[in-house]
Amino acid sequence: MLTPMKNDGDYGRSVNVTLERMAASLLVTTWMILAYVRFGFPLAVRTFIFYLLPLAFIWIPDLMSKLDWRSNQDPTPSLFIPPNWLRLAGWLLILAVPAAWITFFRHSCPPE
């Protein structure tokens, strides 16, 4: 017979929802909605796929910093990347890419 899971420390969340994580998720959702409204479903899906890595940098920076990013052919030891640097890189991608896109798009199109 199945017994319900207990609500004790063994089953606690490994990643807590914080204001920073919610803000990043809401901002990425906003970019996806704008991409969908302006350019349609295919670009909204590309936007989602592009922002998976920056969101992972913000949501699980400790896990992402432990990944070994080098190839098997490279004999040099892997460098440790501090989780705070990954979070900063995630925020830079989430904020800078749309800002650059809006700036270049605005200046590349003739006024209507």
mmCIF file of all heavy atoms in Angstrom, residues 16-63:
data_model
loop_
_atom_site.group_PDB
_atom_site.id
_atom_site.type_symbol
_atom_site.label_atom_id
_atom_site.label_comp_id
_atom_site.label_asym_id
_atom_site.label_seq_id
_atom_site.Cartn_x
_atom_site.Cartn_y
_atom_site.Cartn_z
ATOM 1 N N ASN A 16 14.968 27.351 -3.793
ATOM 2 C CA ASN A 16 13.901 28.192 -3.275
ATOM 3 C C ASN A 16 13.590 29.318 -4.247
ATOM 4 O O ASN A 16 14.479 29.816 -4.948
ATOM 5 C CB ASN A 16 14.296 28.787 -1.925
ATOM 6 C CG ASN A 16 14.423 27.725 -0.861
ATOM 7 O OD1 ASN A 16 13.673 26.763 -0.855
ATOM 8 N ND2 ASN A 16 15.390 27.893 0.024
ATOM 9 N N VAL A 17 12.346 29.723 -4.269
ATOM 10 C CA VAL A 17 11.925 30.838 -5.112
ATOM 11 C C VAL A 17 12.280 32.127 -4.385
ATOM 12 O O VAL A 17 11.857 32.350 -3.258
ATOM 13 C CB VAL A 17 10.409 30.768 -5.396
ATOM 14 C CG1 VAL A 17 9.983 31.964 -6.222
ATOM 15 C CG2 VAL A 17 10.057 29.477 -6.102
ATOM 16 N N THR A 18 13.079 32.958 -5.046
ATOM 17 C CA THR A 18 13.455 34.247 -4.480
ATOM 18 C C THR A 18 12.952 35.362 -5.382
ATOM 19 O O THR A 18 12.508 35.113 -6.516
ATOM 20 C CB THR A 18 14.985 34.365 -4.336
ATOM 21 O OG1 THR A 18 15.568 34.302 -5.648
ATOM 22 C CG2 THR A 18 15.564 33.271 -3.458
ATOM 23 N N LEU A 19 13.036 36.577 -4.880
ATOM 24 C CA LEU A 19 12.604 37.729 -5.670
ATOM 25 C C LEU A 19 13.438 37.858 -6.943
ATOM 26 O O LEU A 19 12.906 38.160 -8.014
ATOM 27 C CB LEU A 19 12.696 38.996 -4.821
ATOM 28 C CG LEU A 19 12.193 40.273 -5.457
ATOM 29 C CD1 LEU A 19 10.704 40.141 -5.798
ATOM 30 C CD2 LEU A 19 12.421 41.452 -4.538
ATOM 31 N N GLU A 20 14.742 37.604 -6.841
ATOM 32 C CA GLU A 20 15.619 37.690 -8.015
ATOM 33 C C GLU A 20 15.228 36.666 -9.076
ATOM 34 O O GLU A 20 15.153 36.985 -10.267
ATOM 35 C CB GLU A 20 17.064 37.459 -7.583
ATOM 36 C CG GLU A 20 18.037 37.431 -8.747
ATOM 37 C CD GLU A 20 19.418 36.963 -8.362
ATOM 38 O OE1 GLU A 20 19.574 36.287 -7.328
ATOM 39 O OE2 GLU A 20 20.347 37.268 -9.126
ATOM 40 N N ARG A 21 14.955 35.456 -8.668
ATOM 41 C CA ARG A 21 14.597 34.394 -9.614
ATOM 42 C C ARG A 21 13.247 34.668 -10.255
ATOM 43 O O ARG A 21 13.059 34.424 -11.450
ATOM 44 C CB ARG A 21 14.598 33.048 -8.905
ATOM 45 C CG ARG A 21 15.996 32.628 -8.508
ATOM 46 C CD ARG A 21 16.006 31.419 -7.631
ATOM 47 N NE ARG A 21 17.374 31.003 -7.353
ATOM 48 C CZ ARG A 21 17.726 30.294 -6.323
ATOM 49 N NH1 ARG A 21 16.818 29.877 -5.453
ATOM 50 N NH2 ARG A 21 18.984 29.975 -6.144
ATOM 51 N N MET A 22 12.313 35.160 -9.467
ATOM 52 C CA MET A 22 10.992 35.491 -10.028
ATOM 53 C C MET A 22 11.098 36.664 -10.998
ATOM 54 O O MET A 22 10.466 36.657 -12.058
ATOM 55 C CB MET A 22 10.003 35.824 -8.910
ATOM 56 C CG MET A 22 9.538 34.613 -8.135
ATOM 57 S SD MET A 22 8.792 33.339 -9.185
ATOM 58 C CE MET A 22 7.454 34.221 -9.912
ATOM 59 N N ALA A 23 11.894 37.671 -10.671
ATOM 60 C CA ALA A 23 12.069 38.816 -11.561
ATOM 61 C C ALA A 23 12.688 38.383 -12.883
ATOM 62 O O ALA A 23 12.254 38.813 -13.961
ATOM 63 C CB ALA A 23 12.931 39.875 -10.886
ATOM 64 N N ALA A 24 13.693 37.520 -12.824
ATOM 65 C CA ALA A 24 14.323 37.032 -14.054
ATOM 66 C C ALA A 24 13.326 36.237 -14.893
ATOM 67 O O ALA A 24 13.244 36.413 -16.116
ATOM 68 C CB ALA A 24 15.536 36.170 -13.723
ATOM 69 N N SER A 25 12.549 35.395 -14.254
ATOM 70 C CA SER A 25 11.557 34.591 -14.982
ATOM 71 C C SER A 25 10.479 35.472 -15.596
ATOM 72 O O SER A 25 10.061 35.244 -16.742
ATOM 73 C CB SER A 25 10.925 33.569 -14.044
ATOM 74 O OG SER A 25 11.910 32.701 -13.547
ATOM 75 N N LEU A 26 10.025 36.473 -14.868
ATOM 76 C CA LEU A 26 9.004 37.383 -15.399
ATOM 77 C C LEU A 26 9.549 38.210 -16.560
ATOM 78 O O LEU A 26 8.842 38.453 -17.542
ATOM 79 C CB LEU A 26 8.467 38.291 -14.301
ATOM 80 C CG LEU A 26 7.573 37.615 -13.274
ATOM 81 C CD1 LEU A 26 7.240 38.572 -12.133
ATOM 82 C CD2 LEU A 26 6.295 37.117 -13.925
ATOM 83 N N LEU A 27 10.801 38.617 -16.467
ATOM 84 C CA LEU A 27 11.400 39.382 -17.556
ATOM 85 C C LEU A 27 11.550 38.532 -18.812
ATOM 86 O O LEU A 27 11.235 38.985 -19.917
ATOM 87 C CB LEU A 27 12.753 39.924 -17.112
ATOM 88 C CG LEU A 27 13.338 41.076 -17.909
ATOM 89 C CD1 LEU A 27 12.360 42.227 -18.030
ATOM 90 C CD2 LEU A 27 14.615 41.550 -17.260
ATOM 91 N N VAL A 28 11.991 37.297 -18.652
ATOM 92 C CA VAL A 28 12.108 36.401 -19.807
ATOM 93 C C VAL A 28 10.726 36.106 -20.391
ATOM 94 O O VAL A 28 10.552 36.074 -21.612
ATOM 95 C CB VAL A 28 12.855 35.106 -19.417
ATOM 96 C CG1 VAL A 28 12.724 34.044 -20.490
ATOM 97 C CG2 VAL A 28 14.314 35.405 -19.146
ATOM 98 N N THR A 29 9.736 35.941 -19.541
ATOM 99 C CA THR A 29 8.369 35.736 -20.027
ATOM 100 C C THR A 29 7.893 36.950 -20.814
ATOM 101 O O THR A 29 7.240 36.808 -21.856
ATOM 102 C CB THR A 29 7.419 35.456 -18.845
ATOM 103 O OG1 THR A 29 7.893 34.308 -18.138
ATOM 104 C CG2 THR A 29 6.005 35.200 -19.326
ATOM 105 N N THR A 30 8.233 38.139 -20.341
ATOM 106 C CA THR A 30 7.877 39.364 -21.068
ATOM 107 C C THR A 30 8.534 39.393 -22.435
ATOM 108 O O THR A 30 7.891 39.727 -23.432
ATOM 109 C CB THR A 30 8.302 40.601 -20.250
ATOM 110 O OG1 THR A 30 7.671 40.554 -18.980
ATOM 111 C CG2 THR A 30 7.944 41.879 -20.964
ATOM 112 N N TRP A 31 9.820 39.025 -22.500
ATOM 113 C CA TRP A 31 10.512 39.000 -23.805
ATOM 114 C C TRP A 31 9.857 37.994 -24.744
ATOM 115 O O TRP A 31 9.734 38.235 -25.935
ATOM 116 C CB TRP A 31 11.993 38.666 -23.644
ATOM 117 C CG TRP A 31 12.824 39.623 -22.853
ATOM 118 C CD1 TRP A 31 13.904 39.286 -22.096
ATOM 119 C CD2 TRP A 31 12.689 41.041 -22.718
ATOM 120 N NE1 TRP A 31 14.434 40.406 -21.503
ATOM 121 C CE2 TRP A 31 13.707 41.501 -21.868
ATOM 122 C CE3 TRP A 31 11.796 41.975 -23.223
ATOM 123 C CZ2 TRP A 31 13.858 42.838 -21.519
ATOM 124 C CZ3 TRP A 31 11.934 43.311 -22.863
ATOM 125 C CH2 TRP A 31 12.956 43.727 -22.040
ATOM 126 N N MET A 32 9.441 36.843 -24.195
ATOM 127 C CA MET A 32 8.796 35.829 -25.032
ATOM 128 C C MET A 32 7.451 36.330 -25.555
ATOM 129 O O MET A 32 7.116 36.119 -26.727
ATOM 130 C CB MET A 32 8.605 34.535 -24.236
ATOM 131 C CG MET A 32 9.874 33.776 -24.001
ATOM 132 S SD MET A 32 9.709 32.351 -22.904
ATOM 133 C CE MET A 32 8.096 31.763 -23.214
ATOM 134 N N ILE A 33 6.683 36.986 -24.716
ATOM 135 C CA ILE A 33 5.374 37.517 -25.141
ATOM 136 C C ILE A 33 5.564 38.595 -26.200
ATOM 137 O O ILE A 33 4.851 38.608 -27.220
ATOM 138 C CB ILE A 33 4.585 38.035 -23.934
ATOM 139 C CG1 ILE A 33 4.155 36.869 -23.046
ATOM 140 C CG2 ILE A 33 3.379 38.858 -24.368
ATOM 141 C CD1 ILE A 33 3.573 37.278 -21.706
ATOM 142 N N LEU A 34 6.542 39.474 -25.996
ATOM 143 C CA LEU A 34 6.805 40.511 -27.003
ATOM 144 C C LEU A 34 7.261 39.898 -28.324
ATOM 145 O O LEU A 34 6.862 40.360 -29.396
ATOM 146 C CB LEU A 34 7.850 41.495 -26.483
ATOM 147 C CG LEU A 34 7.380 42.442 -25.386
ATOM 148 C CD1 LEU A 34 8.553 43.241 -24.845
ATOM 149 C CD2 LEU A 34 6.289 43.350 -25.891
ATOM 150 N N ALA A 35 8.089 38.867 -28.258
ATOM 151 C CA ALA A 35 8.528 38.193 -29.486
ATOM 152 C C ALA A 35 7.343 37.538 -30.191
ATOM 153 O O ALA A 35 7.239 37.586 -31.424
ATOM 154 C CB ALA A 35 9.596 37.159 -29.167
ATOM 155 N N TYR A 36 6.437 36.956 -29.419
ATOM 156 C CA TYR A 36 5.261 36.321 -30.016
ATOM 157 C C TYR A 36 4.347 37.354 -30.662
ATOM 158 O O TYR A 36 3.891 37.172 -31.798
ATOM 159 C CB TYR A 36 4.503 35.528 -28.955
ATOM 160 C CG TYR A 36 3.236 34.908 -29.478
ATOM 161 C CD1 TYR A 36 3.286 33.797 -30.295
ATOM 162 C CD2 TYR A 36 1.999 35.455 -29.175
ATOM 163 C CE1 TYR A 36 2.131 33.229 -30.799
ATOM 164 C CE2 TYR A 36 0.833 34.899 -29.668
ATOM 165 C CZ TYR A 36 0.901 33.788 -30.476
ATOM 166 O OH TYR A 36 -0.239 33.239 -30.980
ATOM 167 N N VAL A 37 4.084 38.444 -29.952
ATOM 168 C CA VAL A 37 3.171 39.476 -30.474
ATOM 169 C C VAL A 37 3.762 40.139 -31.705
ATOM 170 O O VAL A 37 3.056 40.389 -32.684
ATOM 171 C CB VAL A 37 2.867 40.515 -29.367
ATOM 172 C CG1 VAL A 37 2.180 41.739 -29.931
ATOM 173 C CG2 VAL A 37 2.035 39.887 -28.265
ATOM 174 N N ARG A 38 5.046 40.418 -31.672
ATOM 175 C CA ARG A 38 5.672 41.162 -32.761
ATOM 176 C C ARG A 38 6.025 40.283 -33.962
ATOM 177 O O ARG A 38 5.854 40.691 -35.098
ATOM 178 C CB ARG A 38 6.945 41.829 -32.215
ATOM 179 C CG ARG A 38 7.671 42.678 -33.167
ATOM 180 C CD ARG A 38 7.114 44.066 -33.194
ATOM 181 N NE ARG A 38 8.035 44.893 -33.953
ATOM 182 C CZ ARG A 38 7.624 45.805 -34.788
ATOM 183 N NH1 ARG A 38 6.371 46.058 -34.934
ATOM 184 N NH2 ARG A 38 8.506 46.497 -35.455
ATOM 185 N N PHE A 39 6.518 39.053 -33.709
ATOM 186 C CA PHE A 39 7.052 38.239 -34.805
ATOM 187 C C PHE A 39 6.464 36.843 -34.930
ATOM 188 O O PHE A 39 6.825 36.110 -35.821
ATOM 189 C CB PHE A 39 8.582 38.125 -34.675
ATOM 190 C CG PHE A 39 9.277 39.443 -34.756
ATOM 191 C CD1 PHE A 39 9.765 40.050 -33.619
ATOM 192 C CD2 PHE A 39 9.428 40.084 -35.970
ATOM 193 C CE1 PHE A 39 10.410 41.267 -33.681
ATOM 194 C CE2 PHE A 39 10.070 41.311 -36.048
ATOM 195 C CZ PHE A 39 10.550 41.905 -34.893
ATOM 196 N N GLY A 40 5.632 36.438 -33.991
ATOM 197 C CA GLY A 40 4.984 35.145 -34.112
ATOM 198 C C GLY A 40 5.603 34.052 -33.257
ATOM 199 O O GLY A 40 6.578 34.254 -32.530
ATOM 200 N N PHE A 41 5.014 32.879 -33.374
ATOM 201 C CA PHE A 41 5.367 31.741 -32.536
ATOM 202 C C PHE A 41 6.802 31.238 -32.703
ATOM 203 O O PHE A 41 7.469 30.944 -31.715
ATOM 204 C CB PHE A 41 4.369 30.607 -32.777
ATOM 205 C CG PHE A 41 4.553 29.441 -31.881
ATOM 206 C CD1 PHE A 41 4.216 29.524 -30.535
ATOM 207 C CD2 PHE A 41 5.069 28.253 -32.364
ATOM 208 C CE1 PHE A 41 4.396 28.448 -29.693
ATOM 209 C CE2 PHE A 41 5.244 27.165 -31.539
ATOM 210 C CZ PHE A 41 4.907 27.273 -30.191
ATOM 211 N N PRO A 42 7.322 31.131 -33.945
ATOM 212 C CA PRO A 42 8.691 30.602 -34.083
ATOM 213 C C PRO A 42 9.742 31.429 -33.330
ATOM 214 O O PRO A 42 10.625 30.871 -32.684
ATOM 215 C CB PRO A 42 8.952 30.630 -35.589
ATOM 216 C CG PRO A 42 7.602 30.549 -36.201
ATOM 217 C CD PRO A 42 6.697 31.304 -35.267
ATOM 218 N N LEU A 43 9.642 32.756 -33.389
ATOM 219 C CA LEU A 43 10.616 33.573 -32.671
ATOM 220 C C LEU A 43 10.394 33.506 -31.164
ATOM 221 O O LEU A 43 11.357 33.579 -30.391
ATOM 222 C CB LEU A 43 10.572 35.025 -33.139
ATOM 223 C CG LEU A 43 11.744 35.863 -32.631
ATOM 224 C CD1 LEU A 43 13.059 35.346 -33.204
ATOM 225 C CD2 LEU A 43 11.558 37.311 -32.958
ATOM 226 N N ALA A 44 9.167 33.328 -30.729
ATOM 227 C CA ALA A 44 8.916 33.168 -29.293
ATOM 228 C C ALA A 44 9.566 31.887 -28.781
ATOM 229 O O ALA A 44 10.141 31.868 -27.682
ATOM 230 C CB ALA A 44 7.414 33.161 -29.024
ATOM 231 N N VAL A 45 9.517 30.824 -29.560
ATOM 232 C CA VAL A 45 10.158 29.566 -29.171
ATOM 233 C C VAL A 45 11.679 29.736 -29.153
ATOM 234 O O VAL A 45 12.350 29.270 -28.226
ATOM 235 C CB VAL A 45 9.743 28.415 -30.116
ATOM 236 C CG1 VAL A 45 10.565 27.169 -29.869
ATOM 237 C CG2 VAL A 45 8.266 28.125 -29.963
ATOM 238 N N ARG A 46 12.231 30.420 -30.140
ATOM 239 C CA ARG A 46 13.676 30.680 -30.152
ATOM 240 C C ARG A 46 14.091 31.523 -28.951
ATOM 241 O O ARG A 46 15.153 31.305 -28.373
ATOM 242 C CB ARG A 46 14.074 31.396 -31.439
ATOM 243 C CG ARG A 46 14.023 30.522 -32.647
ATOM 244 C CD ARG A 46 14.519 31.274 -33.859
ATOM 245 N NE ARG A 46 13.977 30.651 -35.038
ATOM 246 C CZ ARG A 46 13.676 31.289 -36.145
ATOM 247 N NH1 ARG A 46 13.871 32.590 -36.239
ATOM 248 N NH2 ARG A 46 13.190 30.642 -37.169
ATOM 249 N N THR A 47 13.264 32.489 -28.598
ATOM 250 C CA THR A 47 13.545 33.321 -27.425
ATOM 251 C C THR A 47 13.572 32.466 -26.170
ATOM 252 O O THR A 47 14.471 32.601 -25.330
ATOM 253 C CB THR A 47 12.484 34.429 -27.300
ATOM 254 O OG1 THR A 47 12.473 35.203 -28.503
ATOM 255 C CG2 THR A 47 12.759 35.332 -26.113
ATOM 256 N N PHE A 48 12.606 31.569 -26.036
ATOM 257 C CA PHE A 48 12.564 30.669 -24.884
ATOM 258 C C PHE A 48 13.822 29.806 -24.815
ATOM 259 O O PHE A 48 14.455 29.680 -23.768
ATOM 260 C CB PHE A 48 11.313 29.799 -24.945
ATOM 261 C CG PHE A 48 11.304 28.686 -23.943
ATOM 262 C CD1 PHE A 48 11.101 28.947 -22.604
ATOM 263 C CD2 PHE A 48 11.518 27.375 -24.345
ATOM 264 C CE1 PHE A 48 11.109 27.916 -21.667
ATOM 265 C CE2 PHE A 48 11.518 26.343 -23.427
ATOM 266 C CZ PHE A 48 11.310 26.624 -22.080
ATOM 267 N N ILE A 49 14.206 29.222 -25.947
ATOM 268 C CA ILE A 49 15.381 28.344 -25.979
ATOM 269 C C ILE A 49 16.650 29.129 -25.665
ATOM 270 O O ILE A 49 17.512 28.671 -24.912
ATOM 271 C CB ILE A 49 15.479 27.631 -27.344
ATOM 272 C CG1 ILE A 49 14.326 26.638 -27.485
ATOM 273 C CG2 ILE A 49 16.818 26.930 -27.507
ATOM 274 C CD1 ILE A 49 14.170 26.055 -28.867
ATOM 275 N N PHE A 50 16.756 30.349 -26.197
ATOM 276 C CA PHE A 50 17.934 31.176 -25.943
ATOM 277 C C PHE A 50 18.078 31.498 -24.457
ATOM 278 O O PHE A 50 19.181 31.478 -23.913
ATOM 279 C CB PHE A 50 17.855 32.479 -26.742
ATOM 280 C CG PHE A 50 18.965 33.445 -26.418
ATOM 281 C CD1 PHE A 50 20.229 33.247 -26.935
ATOM 282 C CD2 PHE A 50 18.743 34.526 -25.587
ATOM 283 C CE1 PHE A 50 21.260 34.131 -26.626
ATOM 284 C CE2 PHE A 50 19.757 35.406 -25.273
ATOM 285 C CZ PHE A 50 21.022 35.212 -25.801
ATOM 286 N N TYR A 51 16.969 31.786 -23.791
ATOM 287 C CA TYR A 51 17.025 32.220 -22.396
ATOM 288 C C TYR A 51 17.039 31.072 -21.390
ATOM 289 O O TYR A 51 17.091 31.328 -20.186
ATOM 290 C CB TYR A 51 15.884 33.181 -22.085
ATOM 291 C CG TYR A 51 16.171 34.574 -22.592
ATOM 292 C CD1 TYR A 51 15.393 35.151 -23.574
ATOM 293 C CD2 TYR A 51 17.246 35.290 -22.093
ATOM 294 C CE1 TYR A 51 15.668 36.418 -24.038
ATOM 295 C CE2 TYR A 51 17.536 36.550 -22.557
ATOM 296 C CZ TYR A 51 16.745 37.112 -23.526
ATOM 297 O OH TYR A 51 17.026 38.367 -23.989
ATOM 298 N N LEU A 52 17.025 29.830 -21.832
ATOM 299 C CA LEU A 52 17.133 28.723 -20.883
ATOM 300 C C LEU A 52 18.458 28.749 -20.124
ATOM 301 O O LEU A 52 18.490 28.546 -18.910
ATOM 302 C CB LEU A 52 16.967 27.382 -21.604
ATOM 303 C CG LEU A 52 15.548 26.973 -21.939
ATOM 304 C CD1 LEU A 52 15.557 25.663 -22.721
ATOM 305 C CD2 LEU A 52 14.710 26.837 -20.690
ATOM 306 N N LEU A 53 19.560 28.999 -20.808
ATOM 307 C CA LEU A 53 20.863 29.010 -20.152
ATOM 308 C C LEU A 53 21.008 30.190 -19.182
ATOM 309 O O LEU A 53 21.419 29.988 -18.041
ATOM 310 C CB LEU A 53 21.989 28.995 -21.184
ATOM 311 C CG LEU A 53 23.388 28.803 -20.623
ATOM 312 C CD1 LEU A 53 23.519 27.450 -19.934
ATOM 313 C CD2 LEU A 53 24.419 28.932 -21.719
ATOM 314 N N PRO A 54 20.663 31.431 -19.581
ATOM 315 C CA PRO A 54 20.746 32.513 -18.591
ATOM 316 C C PRO A 54 19.837 32.289 -17.380
ATOM 317 O O PRO A 54 20.219 32.620 -16.253
ATOM 318 C CB PRO A 54 20.314 33.760 -19.373
ATOM 319 C CG PRO A 54 20.610 33.438 -20.783
ATOM 320 C CD PRO A 54 20.396 31.965 -20.919
ATOM 321 N N LEU A 55 18.665 31.710 -17.587
ATOM 322 C CA LEU A 55 17.800 31.415 -16.443
ATOM 323 C C LEU A 55 18.417 30.337 -15.559
ATOM 324 O O LEU A 55 18.315 30.403 -14.330
ATOM 325 C CB LEU A 55 16.411 30.981 -16.910
ATOM 326 C CG LEU A 55 15.449 32.099 -17.257
ATOM 327 C CD1 LEU A 55 14.138 31.530 -17.771
ATOM 328 C CD2 LEU A 55 15.199 33.017 -16.079
ATOM 329 N N ALA A 56 19.079 29.367 -16.162
ATOM 330 C CA ALA A 56 19.764 28.345 -15.358
ATOM 331 C C ALA A 56 20.899 28.970 -14.554
ATOM 332 O O ALA A 56 21.134 28.583 -13.412
ATOM 333 C CB ALA A 56 20.304 27.239 -16.261
ATOM 334 N N PHE A 57 21.586 29.960 -15.136
ATOM 335 C CA PHE A 57 22.637 30.660 -14.400
ATOM 336 C C PHE A 57 22.070 31.361 -13.171
ATOM 337 O O PHE A 57 22.749 31.485 -12.156
ATOM 338 C CB PHE A 57 23.340 31.682 -15.282
ATOM 339 C CG PHE A 57 24.288 31.095 -16.288
ATOM 340 C CD1 PHE A 57 24.808 31.891 -17.288
ATOM 341 C CD2 PHE A 57 24.667 29.768 -16.250
ATOM 342 C CE1 PHE A 57 25.695 31.382 -18.223
ATOM 343 C CE2 PHE A 57 25.544 29.240 -17.174
ATOM 344 C CZ PHE A 57 26.061 30.056 -18.164
ATOM 345 N N ILE A 58 20.851 31.844 -13.254
ATOM 346 C CA ILE A 58 20.238 32.565 -12.131
ATOM 347 C C ILE A 58 19.559 31.608 -11.161
ATOM 348 O O ILE A 58 19.654 31.763 -9.947
ATOM 349 C CB ILE A 58 19.256 33.627 -12.664
ATOM 350 C CG1 ILE A 58 20.048 34.725 -13.384
ATOM 351 C CG2 ILE A 58 18.422 34.213 -11.530
ATOM 352 C CD1 ILE A 58 19.201 35.712 -14.129
ATOM 353 N N TRP A 59 18.878 30.594 -11.672
ATOM 354 C CA TRP A 59 18.127 29.688 -10.801
ATOM 355 C C TRP A 59 19.023 28.678 -10.095
ATOM 356 O O TRP A 59 18.810 28.365 -8.932
ATOM 357 C CB TRP A 59 17.045 28.955 -11.598
ATOM 358 C CG TRP A 59 15.781 29.738 -11.679
ATOM 359 C CD1 TRP A 59 15.464 30.687 -12.604
ATOM 360 C CD2 TRP A 59 14.666 29.662 -10.788
ATOM 361 N NE1 TRP A 59 14.223 31.189 -12.346
ATOM 362 C CE2 TRP A 59 13.707 30.579 -11.235
ATOM 363 C CE3 TRP A 59 14.383 28.898 -9.666
ATOM 364 C CZ2 TRP A 59 12.490 30.759 -10.588
ATOM 365 C CZ3 TRP A 59 13.166 29.073 -9.030
ATOM 366 C CH2 TRP A 59 12.243 29.997 -9.489
ATOM 367 N N ILE A 60 19.993 28.122 -10.788
ATOM 368 C CA ILE A 60 20.843 27.077 -10.187
ATOM 369 C C ILE A 60 22.323 27.377 -10.444
ATOM 370 O O ILE A 60 23.031 26.574 -11.055
ATOM 371 C CB ILE A 60 20.455 25.684 -10.708
ATOM 372 C CG1 ILE A 60 20.358 25.660 -12.239
ATOM 373 C CG2 ILE A 60 19.177 25.189 -10.063
ATOM 374 C CD1 ILE A 60 20.152 24.285 -12.832
ATOM 375 N N PRO A 61 22.832 28.511 -9.959
ATOM 376 C CA PRO A 61 24.231 28.851 -10.247
ATOM 377 C C PRO A 61 25.221 27.894 -9.585
ATOM 378 O O PRO A 61 26.301 27.656 -10.136
ATOM 379 C CB PRO A 61 24.376 30.271 -9.686
ATOM 380 C CG PRO A 61 23.340 30.371 -8.637
ATOM 381 C CD PRO A 61 22.194 29.519 -9.125
ATOM 382 N N ASP A 62 24.864 27.340 -8.426
ATOM 383 C CA ASP A 62 25.786 26.410 -7.762
ATOM 384 C C ASP A 62 25.998 25.156 -8.595
ATOM 385 O O ASP A 62 27.129 24.693 -8.764
ATOM 386 C CB ASP A 62 25.266 26.035 -6.377
ATOM 387 C CG ASP A 62 25.219 27.230 -5.451
ATOM 388 O OD1 ASP A 62 26.118 28.088 -5.558
ATOM 389 O OD2 ASP A 62 24.291 27.312 -4.641
ATOM 390 N N LEU A 63 24.930 24.612 -9.130
ATOM 391 C CA LEU A 63 25.030 23.430 -9.980
ATOM 392 C C LEU A 63 25.756 23.753 -11.285
ATOM 393 O O LEU A 63 26.617 22.992 -11.733
ATOM 394 C CB LEU A 63 23.646 22.857 -10.279
ATOM 395 C CG LEU A 63 23.600 21.682 -11.239
ATOM 396 C CD1 LEU A 63 24.268 20.466 -10.616
ATOM 397 C CD2 LEU A 63 22.180 21.364 -11.631
#
